[in-house]
Amino acid sequence: MKYGRTFNFSAGPAMMPEPVLEEIRDEMMNYRGSGMCVMEMSHRSKVYQQIIDDAEKDLRDLMGIPDNYKVLFIQGGATLQFSMIPMNLMKNGKAVYIETGAWSKKAIAEAKKVGDVIVAASSKDKNYTYIPDCSDLDIPEDTDYVYICENETIHGSTWHTLPNTKGHVLVSDQSSMFLSRPCNVSDYGLIYAGVQKNVGPAGMVVVIIREDLIRDDLTDLPIYLQYKTHADNGSMYNTPNCWAIYCCGKVFKYLKNLGGLEAMAKINEDKAKVFYDFLDSSKMFKGTVVAKDRSLMNVPFVTDSAELDAEVVAATKAAGYDNLKGHKSVGGLRASIYNAMPKEGVEALVNFLKDFEAKHNK
Amino acid sequence: MKYGRTFNFSAGPAMMPEPVLEEIRDEMMNYRGSGMCVMEMSHRSKVYQQIIDDAEKDLRDLMGIPDNYKVLFIQGGATLQFSMIPMNLMKNGKAVYIETGAWSKKAIAEAKKVGDVIVAASSKDKNYTYIPDCSDLDIPEDTDYVYICENETIHGSTWHTLPNTKGHVLVSDQSSMFLSRPCNVSDYGLIYAGVQKNVGPAGMVVVIIREDLIRDDLTDLPIYLQYKTHADNGSMYNTPNCWAIYCCGKVFKYLKNLGGLEAMAKINEDKAKVFYDFLDSSKMFKGTVVAKDRSLMNVPFVTDSAELDAEVVAATKAAGYDNLKGHKSVGGLRASIYNAMPKEGVEALVNFLKDFEAKHNK
């Protein structure tokens, strides 16, 4: 690759589009005649206001976000959202969570500190290798919301069909699949995503929230933890992660120019197919998730022994393919192939694994 | 200036050292042979661990941070610290706050949501133009801590002598004077600073906390809001603001190479003297803060009319000096002259103001 860059299969932070990085580099010493770097700009200045306005507008265009949804840029990662969501949305003190892996588990643990959590379905019985059937859940009438992690980064499963919430508000953690495919925002009450997987640099979450869910009766909460604080102040009650907003804005524009989320989804499907076709035909490697629930973003796979897994990880690393070790809770390997991973990266890795398998079988 | 850069007097985010920005630009497409930009690196990778370790080590060297203090990198700005501090440090539910301006007021408002707040001294009577005498405060025995904002960004006052806490823990918001002068960390229980004023890009706070103040009995708090979470995981329980850590690390190294905080303080004193000497000799402009409590970082000043103030702001802007409008709560003008503002910037602005005054008096 250009500049001696490697194919980086990290689960996040992860690859960003090269043209976006080039633009950022070129604007470093003096952003478009402003006389300063974006990192040096007052967030109250006109030049910065334009940057954040453009970022929001481009994201709205990309996702087709309806006018009755607010877009918020908040610090603290998904981890802080695990708490902010129940603190802000639990009116009746009750929520339904679906447990599909490490990230929904963490969300459940934090929500339990705030109110009653009903785990209405779980795939724990098979180490989170599938998405449970959620077409007819038992959801109490006074449930405040139904929560899912739409793509489990560690376990590699994704929701290809949303759960039937029976009219309740759907809350979704889209961190590891944000902007990877079209999204009908109206199906959700709240969508959030840490941007460091599929968009830009770590340190920011995008929250898309239906306006009627923003409460003004929560003045006893820490001011930073009220969605209202961020909504009423255009995400600038206090200084936001200005740099992340700038970089993500560029990625939003890049995706629009690429043809939007339909085009991105097609590219992602193509890329993932290369990988899964290989896994399905390999005798040495196999995917860990049931076919119908496989993530297009995170592909966990294993050989039949932990020793051989480790050997493969070492070999890929030596060959310049970065970050393929599986998460310790799953073992094996994991290739994260987010939006910015080129198809050639996936093809190169698959060819390497094919060669490895052929040599091993000699 | 090089690259057509301007002297930017913003209160924050603010100027960064030009050599640091050049390094960041040069490492954008491939950080030191890693094959990736720092924004793309897994925070769990060796290459990134080295970046965060170096940043912490250089900060410890710069400030002489004792071994029994932890250094934490946390998102959410000073605003989240306003809540985290009382949530974590109020054992007896009682704290003493000194009210010296807008930022200590905000901290007080958030602390009141958590426990009893005693405002033991205030300079509200004179619109926060001085630091009250805190040599002999009435501090209840069971007070958990005494809180100050060591430099009030908006009002332009600074603590040149710390309060007598009578043996209680001192907590200090150093956001707008962090690393501007030597600091005896042992005088404090907790120091924190949003980095976007005197160090790097917005989106991160550095917290320096004495280990015995980190409690493990707060498991009911949201996990992100417990200092223990960040302390036990080297600030990487979840993905931190990796980019800010990287940029700040470069600034720490830059300050070390400059001769450390003693050298930086001398430069800052020189710079501020140029400005204050001018204000003290001018018939048109005057500083708003009493001489003994003046900030070396934020210099608020006024003419004798709001109309003339506005005229000056417009003239400076037209001449290429950015962000000189005073905060709406104080009016007038404000020049923020943080570490990275060159002395020539201050001299140029002072000369401009002298000319303005001379022409006006013709």
Side-chain angles (χ1 to χ4, degrees), chain A residues 1-6 16-26, chain B residues 23-40 243 246:
Chain A
M1 283 211 311
K2 224 166 137 187
Y3 306 108
R5 287 165 54 76
T6 60
M16 289 173 60
E18 203 168 273
V20 165
L21 292 176
E22 287 173 327
E23 265 187 52
I24 294 169
R25 175 199 59 193
D26 294 344
Chain B
E23 266 187 49
I24 293 169
R25 175 199 61 194
D26 294 343
E27 292 173 349
M28 183 64 63
M29 304 311 295
N30 184 342
Y31 174 82
R32 302 183 186 181
S34 65
M36 53 191 92
C37 172
V38 173
M39 289 193 274
E40 303 175 296
W243 180 255
Y246 160 69

Side-chain angles (χ1 to χ4, degrees), chain B residues 129-150:
Chain B
T129 52
Y130 69 103
I131 299 290
D133 177 8
C134 292
S135 58
D136 186 21
L137 296 173
D138 195 11
I139 300 176
E141 200 45 54
D142 62 344
T143 297
D144 290 308
Y145 58 88
V146 176
Y147 180 103
I148 62 169
C149 175
E150 202 161 336

